[in-house]
Amino acid sequence: MLAAVGINTWRRQGRDGAVTRAASGEPPIHFFAHQARAGATGAREDFEQMIALLVEAVRGDARLVFANGGDWGIDALVGDLKGQITIWQAKYFPHGVTRNHRRQIEDSFASAVRNARQHGYQIQEWVLCVPSSFDPQMAQWWDSWGPTRTRLTGVRLVLWDETALRSQLMQPAARYVRRAYYHPYQDSGDTDEPERSQPVMIRTERPRQYRDHAQTTWRGGDERRIGARSYLLHGDAVEQISNDHSWSWREATADRVQHDLLRVRIRQLRLIRDTPAAQRRREEVRAHGRLLRKLNGAAGLPSFDDLTEDAASTTLVTVLPSGTTWRQAFGPTGTPLARYAAAGVLGAAADVCAALAVLHGEGASHRALGPDSIVLCGRTRRATLVDGGLAALTPQPGEGVPGYRAPEQHRGNGSAAPVDVYQLAALVYHTMTGHPPSPHATPPIRTTLPELPDHIDDLLLRCLDPDPSRRSTETRALAGAFREGRRLLSQGGTP
């Protein structure tokens, strides 16, 4: 089997002589990207999450298994733990497989077989996923050990090494997994990718007199120095200009490339004209930075990294949580969710409520919730906010993520808890049912998910009330209700 990797294309020749080739312009897949995304300590979990999403994309309804007093020798599975399953075991060995790694692989397989016997299910296949290639000695071991284990246990062993993983990732069904984990510096522009959230403020055309400012546009792949630090941008920044053209706002994801590598979220206010409105906005961004520095990662909020100022700009940098976005994990996909997936949505919503409660306790509100503003982190998949949203910033007409704006945001007077509650409920509703809530008459979720308990459905509909005063805005109580809903759905729901 032969694999060749280049800058613009790569191909793999299979046993039948067919060649799988990436589209022109696709960047190569480098598995060291997991270290860049999550650091040395988080790369293993990041790789495991990628494997679960990849299996879900190419094989169907995969589940990531969390370590909770032992993970039964499973990282991801397809099937029923009361019947037959296929197991994917992820081992993040990007530099190759050594004798010590071989022992870990053997122990993982033995654990999987032992737990299958103890808990009454059958393993059909055990797929080992390693982002590197075996050297001749390790290949000889695998070719001997694998068939022996199959003969003794009846479990078929399969190897997804770096070549097989690339082949799986280049399948059309895995396009979004490939882009989420391995396309950090460019956007290929394909038209069949799900629609992304739009900027959180109204975009206006730049007048001619601001062409000098336009020349400073941030582009993916640029290295930008901000204060004493340098950052490598992953993609073009989202940029907006205020209605009076006195200031601009831009956001970008980047790697901090000095000292230890760190993935960050950069949000910068840049003054175009020195006006009272621009100075007020600058003070609000400073207050936003002070708030995130004070909270610094509390209860699902992003960790503060830096606040830098010069004569023309104020730049806030926060640590980008490592994990899977809400969109990647749940959707919305345009179709209703099954019961177990809906239970996961309610669990994530409960985590978001905890983060919102902290913001509300400081007199601030996020006001920019959507499927790309929430990340599920670590093996527990705890929901964390990508950034601080619009906390401490004065509400603007039309702000927020399209499709999830509270009615009052269109008028420019949306703030505090009612907006956040509406946005989160709209996201949960859209994700569960496959369609957004109606501004006029929103059908109950039970019409598409009959297992959802009545009181949880009624609570979500109250949170979507057009009148902010009629919404349930106690976010800690909402978190408790969502956790209860998750438990009931996991157990089969109620009539």
Side-chain angles (χ1 to χ4, degrees):
M1 188 174 293
L2 176 66
V5 180
I7 297 299
N8 293 320
T9 63
W10 74 270
R11 63 182 182 180
R12 172 179 177 268
Q13 186 168 349
R15 295 176 181 174
D16 59 357
V19 173
T20 302
R21 183 186 297 269
S24 178
E26 293 277 7
I29 295 170
H30 295 305
F31 293 107
F32 287 99
H34 296 281
Q35 291 182 344
R37 283 171 57 88
T41 58
R44 177 180 61 84
E45 291 184 3
D46 197 61
F47 180 67
E48 290 171 1
Q49 291 170 356
M50 185 279 293
I51 290 296
L53 288 172
L54 175 61
V55 173
E56 184 177 40
V58 301
R59 292 288 294 271
D61 186 19
R63 285 186 280 168
L64 182 67
V65 177
F66 309 139
N68 185 14
D71 61 4
W72 295 8
I74 303 170
D75 286 329
L77 67 88
V78 168
D80 186 346
L81 283 171
K82 295 182 180 179
Q84 296 183 332
I85 65 170
T86 295
I87 290 175
W88 279 261
Q89 180 72 51
K91 295 294 184 184
Y92 188 67
F93 304 146
H95 297 283
V97 179
T98 66
R99 284 183 175 271
N100 182 56
H101 295 149
R102 188 181 79 180
R103 287 193 292 271
Q104 294 181 43
I105 293 169
E106 292 171 343
D107 290 345
S108 293
F109 179 76
S111 174
V113 172
R114 183 174 59 253
N115 278 282
R117 291 170 179 165
Q118 291 177 357
H119 298 286
Y121 54 88
Q122 181 180 354
I123 305 173
Q124 291 181 304
E125 284 188 346
W126 188 82
V127 184
L128 174 65
C129 305
V130 291
S132 57
S133 296
F134 286 176
D135 63 21
Q137 183 178 16
M138 289 299 102
Q140 188 177 48
W141 160 76
W142 175 264
D143 290 343
S144 173
W145 178 77
T148 301
R149 295 305 98 187
T150 298
R151 187 171 61 254
L152 294 175
T153 64
V155 178
R156 180 171 177 260
L157 276 71
V158 178
L159 175 63
W160 282 10
D161 61 3
E162 62 175 327
T163 302
L165 283 171
R166 288 191 176 103
S167 180
Q168 296 291 342
L169 284 161
M170 291 311 300
Q171 293 189 40
R175 175 175 298 167
Y176 306 127
V177 182
R178 185 172 71 249
R179 289 183 182 171
Y181 285 86
Y182 305 111
H183 289 211
Y185 303 117
Q186 71 174 21
D187 179 4
S188 65
D190 287 359
T191 58
D192 57 350
E193 177 151 351
E195 183 179 353
R196 295 295 178 185
S197 298
Q198 297 299 312
V200 298
M201 286 180 283
I202 293 178
R203 186 181 183 106
T204 58
E205 295 296 328
R206 293 188 181 94
R208 293 180 181 273
Q209 58 265 38
Y210 300 120
R211 283 185 178 273
D212 288 344
H213 172 72
Q215 292 174 2
T216 68
T217 296
W218 291 354
R219 298 298 184 192
D222 288 352
E223 185 170 330
R224 293 282 174 172
R225 189 169 186 85
I226 301 174
R229 300 179 178 181
S230 293
Y231 300 92
L232 183 64
L233 303 181
H234 286 199
D236 293 357
V238 173
E239 300 192 37
Q240 303 91 35
I241 295 180
S242 64
N243 289 330
D244 66 353
H245 301 282
S246 65
W247 52 265
S248 71
W249 178 257
R250 55 188 166 196
E251 304 180 12
T253 298
D255 282 338
R256 191 182 72 193
V257 295
Q258 288 175 306
H259 309 300
D260 56 323
L261 190 66
L262 184 67
R263 187 148 296 181
V264 297
R265 185 73 173 160
I266 303 175
R267 311 177 83 199
Q268 184 182 81
L269 176 81
R270 189 167 185 85
L271 302 185
I272 301 174
R273 293 186 293 120
D274 189 7
T275 67
Q279 290 299 335
R280 283 195 301 270
R281 195 66 172 183
R282 188 172 202 178
E283 183 52 43
E284 290 171 358
V285 174
R286 291 169 178 153
H288 185 84
R290 290 193 296 268
L291 174 63
L292 292 183
R293 177 186 288 163
K294 174 184 177 182
L295 299 176
N296 198 26
L301 292 168
S303 297
F304 176 86
D305 185 60
D306 194 26
L307 182 66
T308 302
E309 292 199 84
D310 58 30
S313 64
T314 299
T315 306
L316 173 63
V317 182
T318 52
V319 178
L320 185 70
S322 172
T324 305
T325 66
W326 178 295
R327 184 188 298 276
Q328 293 166 339
F330 304 124
T333 63
T335 58
L337 292 185
R339 173 164 58 91
Y340 286 116
V345 167
L346 289 180
D351 292 340
V352 175
C353 282
L356 295 177
V358 174
L359 280 179
H360 298 168
E362 298 292 329
S365 53
H366 191 280
R367 308 197 317 272
L369 295 174
D372 300 310
S373 62
I374 301 166
V375 172
L376 309 184
C377 301
R379 294 185 66 85
T380 61
R381 306 242 290 185
R382 179 179 177 82
T384 301
L385 298 177
V386 167
D387 53 41
L390 304 175
L393 304 181
T394 299
Q396 302 280 317
E399 70 179 11
V401 178
Y404 305 103
R405 295 186 183 111
E408 59 270 28
Q409 286 187 289
H410 295 282
R411 303 186 294 270
N413 59 354
S415 62
V419 169
D420 288 345
V421 166
Y422 182 96
Q423 290 183 345
L424 180 58
L427 178 59
V428 170
Y429 184 96
H430 190 187
T431 304
M432 283 187 169
T433 66
H435 58 83
S438 168
H440 307 293
T442 300
I445 297 176
R446 295 189 298 275
T447 59
T448 56
L449 183 64
E451 300 93 340
L452 184 68
D454 293 357
H455 65 288
I456 302 297
D457 197 359
D458 294 340
L459 175 63
L460 283 165
L461 292 180
R462 287 200 302 275
C463 292
L464 292 170
D465 195 300
D467 184 347
S469 66
R470 293 202 294 261
R471 295 176 201 150
S472 302
T473 57
E474 178 48 60
T475 45
R476 295 191 189 279
L478 284 176
F482 288 152
R483 291 191 185 97
E484 180 193 11
R486 176 177 184 169
R487 177 180 60 81
L488 291 173
L489 277 178
S490 298
Q491 295 174 351
T494 59

